[in-house]
Amino acid sequence: MQPLLLFLHILGACIWVGGHLILLFVILPEARRSQSPEYLLRFEKVYERIGVPALFTQLITGVLLFVALLPADNFSPCHPLAYKLYIKLGLLLLTFAIAIHARFFVLKNLTVAKLPLMHKHVAVVTVISVLFILAGINFKFNLF
């Protein structure tokens, strides 16, 4: 069961991180260059159908993998695995906070003037997404 969970977790990460890299380096620069918020909104509408389920797949599989690896009585931040989970949970909460702000305060009434702010949001979420990958690798290789 764990190999399947890990596969789904990594697949979700590929979709999530890959979509944000495309958004950051392809879609947003073109939207800003052409001064077309609609260009970004079209991508968002399509990507959301696969990106959001990928994120939730990561969340669910991540919790299941963690429960399989760590005994229920060892959630102390001092435990090496629990500490690593708390890093990932912190990144997740930060991602959700930025996503909620973007959804309800930036994308809701996206204008040309708000494109730079959206670009900053996406850049931060993309960096966090890459940090998620490093945090995941840390489970195996103890990078930090």
Side-chain angles (χ1 to χ4, degrees):
M1 183 69 155
Q2 284 183 8
L4 176 61
L5 291 174
L6 185 59
F7 169 77
L8 292 172
H9 194 73
I10 291 170
L11 181 61
C14 290
I15 293 167
W16 181 257
V17 177
H20 279 83
L21 289 168
I22 291 168
L23 184 57
L24 179 63
F25 292 113
V26 177
I27 302 299
L28 271 161
E30 180 57 32
R32 291 182 71 181
R33 192 172 21 263
S34 64
Q35 296 192 354
S36 174
E38 296 77 25
Y39 186 77
L40 169 63
L41 293 172
R42 280 193 305 272
F43 176 83
E44 281 282 324
K45 187 176 181 180
V46 172
Y47 174 69
E48 216 172 55
R49 285 185 258 165
I50 190 170
V52 172
L55 183 61
F56 283 113
T57 297
Q58 287 177 276
L59 178 63
I60 292 165
T61 57
V63 168
L64 293 173
L65 285 165
F66 183 75
V67 168
L69 291 173
L70 188 69
D73 61 345
N74 254 335
F75 286 94
S76 164
C78 297
H79 190 282
L81 287 179
Y83 165 75
K84 293 171 185 180
L85 173 71
Y86 293 133
I87 290 171
K88 289 191 88 166
L89 285 176
L91 293 170
L92 181 66
L93 291 174
L94 193 54
T95 299
F96 278 138
I98 294 165
I100 288 168
H101 185 266
R103 166 64 57 213
F104 294 108
F105 298 101
V106 182
L107 284 172
K108 188 174 183 179
N109 298 307
L110 188 63
T111 63
V112 172
K114 286 186 179 180
L115 281 174
L117 177 60
M118 189 62 198
H119 208 151
K120 289 176 186 171
H121 275 74
V122 171
V124 171
V125 170
T126 303
V127 167
I128 292 169
S129 297
V130 171
L131 291 174
F132 264 120
I133 294 170
L134 288 173
I137 292 170
N138 189 42
F139 273 88
K140 177 71 176 171
F141 295 107
N142 294 314
L143 303 172
F144 47 90

